[in-house]
Amino acid sequence: MTDSRIPADLPDHIQHYIDGAFIDSVDGDTFDVLDPVTNENYTTASAGKKADIDLAVAAAKRAFDDGPWPKMLPRERSRVLHRIADIVESRDQRLAELESYDSGLPITQALGQARRAAENFRFFADLIVAQADDTFKVPGRQINYVNRKPIGVAGLITPWNTPFMLESWKLGPALATGNTVVLKPAEFTPLSASLWAGIFEEAGLPKGVFNLVNGLGEDAGDALVKHPDVPLISFTGESSTGQLIFANAAPYLKGLSMELGGKSPAVVFADADLDAAVNATIFGVFSLNGERCTAGSRILVEQSIYDEFVEKYAAQAKRVKVGLPNDPTTEVGALVHPEHYEKVMSYVEIGKTEGRLVAGGGRPEGFETGNYVSPTVFADVYPDARIFQEEIFGPVVAITPFSSDEEALALANNTKYGLAAYIWTNDLKRAHNFAGDVEAGMVWLNSNNVRDLRTPFGGVKASGLGHEGGYRSIDFYTDQQAVHINLGEVHNPVFGKQ
Ligand code: NAD
């Protein structure tokens, strides 16, 4: 381990950003932030509580009620968003370096995520000026049009996997539509989020529009969910946290968007291009350290090619390069945090009693410290196994055989989750019919997870509620007021006629 791994100018403390100023928590409390390669504290962050959320929401509400942002022309907001995208692009190396250091993600993948973050702003900058709304004419009687309005203070709660990119995914549409925001980033990874304030100031976002409170979910996150002046919560995280937030927001009847967990199937039929399927399903579960909501973490393989697939897959998984997150040749880095490492490792042990271990199965050689898990493959996993049913969120995959299309579909649908599905077949009819029948919010046919930003994103079942992506995000962050104008005779019976 060399010092060159540590980025220059790391902050020795990370503060909140409220009403245009960096500040500590009202009670002065902090929490430790760990380097996932050594698990040593490398900085502290302010631990926000209700008092800090109150300040942030008050600032965001003032900026919404009295500030220029909600009333600006879409083109004016769009210019600011394009400047944000330019700045993020120009700092992609720095962002990737910080993200990789804080989260343990391989640097090349962190760089891709930084560029995607810029693209999210650029996309919503374009969309907001192209936005058109319904107008209807009832000849001689009525015209109807839609007044689209920002809603107010949006509460954005994000997880630690690809933190900066997932924050941009919410910040882009929330800001484009004229809302003001309070962001509560994940407590495991506060580093890259601390860059937003500088980026937004430089791009000319008015004071108070963006506010950030660090802190634990049960403190800062909970206070944001329960704040009466926050009418919208966009949440990405675990399904169990989503359930809790849903209940906590119920008394306030808030708008909720929930992007939750997954246990997505990758279904490989015998007629598929086997090499392409192996490459894609290796990437699908081991990229981003396996800490990916849409990971294809259950691979279902047709019996006639099962042995060949498992052999090829296991051999390739063993070649996946585990390494230091900052090494550009690294394919799997260190998991984000020791608590998460313990969780993933416990599933590796459970897997040894539930399936046939064909690759990995523990700590990789040569990595004595930090949260390293070898790319791990279990074959012959039964559908009632915990490693088939439960989200592991690490570099661990379960492979299960099937012998008919019906069995493949039943296996694919046999979990509480329904985020993504990947189908590998060259039979056109089967591909489309399977896509229609599989319980998943998103399906990829003969493809890894590559998503155009215009398409809907979201899960079914325990994987989510509502859709974001493209104009659906615009819908979530705006009210659509219908205005009805009478053109003809007043259209009602006269009561109490003389
Ligand atoms: P998590 O649910 O533990 O935490 C997510 C965020 O919620 C964090 O900021 C946390 O502080 C906050 N939080 C926790 N408890 C809270 C509470 N009671 N009230 C308010 N906020 C609270 O999730 P995680 O471990 O950070 O992230 C991993 C999970 O996220 C996985 O399940 C993954 O599948 C999911 N995920 C889903 C998507 C998607 O788009 N569907 C994308 C990425 C990650």
Side-chain angles (χ1 to χ4, degrees), residues 157-161 166 169 184-187 215-218 221-222 225 235-238 241 244-245 259-262 293 391 393 419 457 463:
I157 303 178
T158 49
W160 46 257
N161 66 317
L166 286 174
W169 188 353
K184 206 303 281 173
E187 55 267 43
L216 307 188
E218 56 268 36
D222 186 62
V225 168
F235 169 76
T236 300
E238 286 185 20
T241 316
L244 191 59
I245 290 178
E259 305 286 3
L260 308 175
C293 54
E391 184 181 43
F393 220 54
L419 192 55
F457 186 102
S463 289

Side-chain angles (χ1 to χ4, degrees), residues 198-218:
I199 293 168
F200 290 156
E201 280 180 17
E202 218 175 302
L205 192 74
K207 198 174 87 150
V209 172
F210 167 77
N211 302 274
L212 179 151
V213 177
N214 288 296
L216 307 188
E218 56 268 36

Side-chain angles (χ1 to χ4, degrees), residues 94-110:
R94 174 69 175 163
L95 275 162
E97 174 189 50
L98 294 183
E99 189 84 306
S100 166
Y101 182 71
D102 196 27
S103 68
L105 284 179
I107 185 77
T108 50
Q109 298 170 34

Side-chain angles (χ1 to χ4, degrees), residues 447-471:
S447 168
N448 184 33
N449 174 342
V450 179
R451 185 180 152 259
D452 184 283
L453 288 177
R454 290 169 297 184
T455 60
F457 186 102
V460 298
K461 293 156 76 179
S463 289
L465 195 73
H467 285 87
E468 295 201 35
Y471 64 78

